[in-house]
Amino acid sequence: MKVAVIGGGAAGFFSALSAKKHHPEAEVVLFEKSKKFLAKVKISGGGRCNVTHHCFDNKKLAEHYPRGKNQLKKAFSQFAVQDTLDWFGARGVETYTLPDNCIFPKSDSSQTIIDTFMNEALQLGVVLKTSCSVRKITPQEEGTFVLSLDEEEVSFDKVIITTGGSPKMSGLKWLQDLGLQIETPVPSLFTFNMPNNPIRELMGCVVEETIVKVEGTKLVGDGPLLVTHWGKSGPAVLKLSAWGARILADKNYQFAILVNWLNNPSEEEVRGQIKKAIQEAGNKRLNKFNPFPITNRIWNFLCEKIGFSEETKWVDLSKKSVNRLFTVLTQDRYEVSGKTTFKEEFVTCGGVSLSEVNFKTMATKKYPNLYFAGEVLDIDGITGGFNFQAAWTTGFIAGKLN
């Protein structure tokens, strides 16, 4: 049996290794059009590679995928987080878990993961081909496929496509030509640009617990918020960008957000804290006494934003001033204009429609010997190791070639 895997990224390697493990007699060839395998793995997690997420309940795990959660819930029953840890552990890769439940190799180097894959491929006898582009796939009547490469045409019994997310529809046309339904790709993980907004001067400031809403929608993200030199980022924003990928694309990335800097305590609670500060620190200036769990730089920025001077004392606050303070702490409004892709970790919403694939086998319904795995599918997760887990899961299943 001849098996082709197209795309040498995370899902591609896992598919090829799984195929060779499940079918040792098969000839498995992994094609990568660029000069390097696993380029995205190399840069992921700041070069550390966030291999998965500390979540062992498959139902809860699936909730972290804006697209594909129902299908993945079933797929995780075949290969989930514990399986990932066991797989790497069996090959000498030790891992550790951060407080935010992200799991990394103990070496803190993505090269560990790359070396593990390369060694495994070598041991199993997977044929690795770089700088080798697959231009076209032509299905044959007997269920096989002819792959048109740069220089030649080669026939394969089974094909697994793992080419990753494509930012443009043109990158998926060759799959459309097979008669497969493609969901239009749009970016999924990105930060919010706020040109000319003075908050950008606070770049580097982080507030650990916030809630961010997109005005006029039901979109809500929570978690740490980071101020950057172009606007806002951090998990709260990245979650919003993933869940709202299509909605925000339709708005052409022009919208407003409301930030709750206090992670949503009740109005009564916030007003109580303000009242307490007036009673206990009445003669102190606001810029010298910050009773809230936000950085002093952000606190002073917010006070200035609503017109308090450096001389304003707590005792000076009128009822109107207290209302303004309450609003800026719980519904601080910012105009967003444009986006910046999150680091080099490009993630797309869109790709091969999930209705085309049987998630028990990852085979297409149209062509029983054509399989898909990874981000080429209309599957994407929020940050935290979820996209890699989807790659391992779908790759493992596709490699069974059922």
Side-chain angles (χ1 to χ4, degrees):
M1 181 166 64
K2 287 180 75 179
V3 183
V5 181
I6 306 171
F13 257 84
F14 224 71
S15 298
L17 299 177
S18 173
K20 194 67 178 161
K21 199 85 176 166
H22 286 106
H23 305 275
E25 302 305 312
E27 181 192 339
V28 179
V29 185
L30 179 56
F31 295 98
E32 168 54 43
K33 68 176 178 184
S34 71
K35 289 178 187 172
K36 276 186 180 169
F37 288 117
L38 301 161
K40 203 166 164 186
V41 171
K42 178 76 177 163
I43 57 173
S44 71
R48 291 155 61 212
C49 190
N50 182 184
V51 286
T52 186
H53 197 88
H54 193 276
C55 179
F56 299 95
D57 178 326
N58 291 345
K59 198 176 171 189
K60 283 184 184 163
L61 183 63
E63 291 298 323
H64 294 88
Y65 296 85
R67 283 147 292 273
K69 66 177 177 180
N70 294 335
Q71 291 81 357
L72 283 173
K73 209 184 298 172
K74 294 169 194 157
F76 288 145
S77 65
Q78 291 192 58
F79 195 93
V81 174
Q82 190 59 57
D83 302 297
T84 298
L85 298 177
D86 291 346
W87 192 93
F88 283 111
R91 288 151 186 84
V93 179
E94 291 182 55
T95 57
Y96 73 100
T97 307
L98 285 175
D100 63 1
N101 287 326
C102 293
I103 298 178
F104 288 89
K106 263 194 179 159
S107 65
D108 266 334
S109 170
S110 55
Q111 195 59 46
T112 303
I113 305 303
I114 293 170
D115 292 345
T116 303
F117 285 154
M118 297 303 274
N119 292 339
E120 185 81 356
L122 207 65
Q123 275 178 14
L124 293 175
V126 174
V127 180
L128 301 176
K129 295 199 172 190
T130 51
S131 302
C132 198
S133 212
V134 178
R135 307 246 172 239
K136 192 181 174 194
I137 298 177
T138 311
Q140 306 298 297
E141 271 181 29
E142 65 274 23
T144 62
F145 301 89
V146 171
L147 268 51
S148 303
L149 308 175
D150 295 323
E151 305 288 323
E152 57 180 336
E153 296 199 329
V154 193
S155 181
F156 286 91
D157 301 297
K158 310 254 185 186
V159 175
I160 307 174
I161 297 177
T162 59
T163 45
S166 166
K168 293 194 176 124
M169 199 67 174
S170 55
L172 296 161
K173 190 179 180 306
W174 66 299
L175 299 176
Q176 229 174 356
D177 291 345
L178 287 168
L180 299 173
Q181 188 187 330
I182 307 293
E183 304 297 338
T184 309
V186 296
S188 174
L189 289 179
F190 50 86
T191 61
F192 295 171
N193 292 358
M194 299 170 182
N196 308 321
N197 194 301
I199 196 161
R200 296 181 314 151
E201 290 162 25
L202 304 184
M203 60 184 265
C205 275
V206 179
V207 175
E208 288 299 334
E209 291 187 43
T210 68
I211 292 177
V212 184
K213 296 179 180 178
V214 174
E215 197 176 63
T217 72
K218 291 179 180 174
L219 294 172
V220 183
D222 61 353
L225 182 67
L226 166 68
V227 181
T228 72
H229 62 279
W230 56 77
K232 290 206 170 88
S233 182
V237 163
L238 294 169
K239 280 181 198 173
L240 263 189
S241 72
W243 289 102
R246 292 221 176 273
I247 294 166
L248 301 181
D250 290 344
K251 289 179 178 290
N252 200 23
Y253 308 105
Q254 309 290 322
F255 54 93
I257 57 169
L258 299 170
V259 179
N260 184 319
W261 293 103
L262 306 180
N263 195 35
N264 219 22
S266 67
E267 178 169 351
E268 197 182 340
E269 204 179 319
V270 179
R271 288 189 181 276
Q273 285 175 288
I274 296 172
K275 193 176 175 184
K276 191 178 174 200
I278 293 169
Q279 285 168 351
E280 294 180 4
N283 283 318
K284 288 187 178 170
R285 291 187 308 209
L286 268 76
N287 64 357
K288 297 294 183 196
F289 183 74
N290 164 18
F292 297 104
I294 56 178
T295 65
N296 287 332
R297 285 179 74 200
I298 285 179
W299 167 246
N300 288 326
F301 171 84
L302 296 177
C303 288
E304 199 180 316
K305 183 177 180 177
I306 54 175
F308 297 161
S309 77
E310 287 187 4
E311 303 304 317
T312 305
K313 293 179 179 176
W314 280 96
V315 76
D316 299 334
L317 297 185
S318 63
K319 193 177 176 186
K320 205 173 176 183
S321 299
V322 168
N323 288 340
R324 285 212 309 271
L325 186 56
F326 168 75
T327 302
V328 83
L329 287 166
T330 59
Q331 296 177 59
D332 190 16
R333 191 175 184 276
Y334 295 88
E335 291 285 346
V336 174
S337 180
K339 60 171 173 34
T340 300
T341 302
F342 179 57
K343 298 185 180 166
E344 303 90 340
E345 298 173 40
F346 189 81
V347 172
T348 53
C349 147
V352 175
S353 172
L354 304 183
S355 62
E356 295 283 3
V357 176
N358 173 358
F359 271 72
K360 279 185 183 159
T361 61
M362 301 313 298
T364 53
K365 295 166 185 175
K366 205 173 212 127
Y367 307 104
N369 296 323
L370 181 68
Y371 303 78
F372 282 96
E375 238 187 273
V376 66
L377 292 157
D378 185 21
I379 284 179
D380 59 287
I382 59 174
T383 57
F386 299 105
N387 287 302
F388 276 137
Q389 184 57 54
W392 316 141
T393 296
T394 54
F396 178 82
I397 298 169
K400 288 181 174 181
L401 302 171
N402 286 341

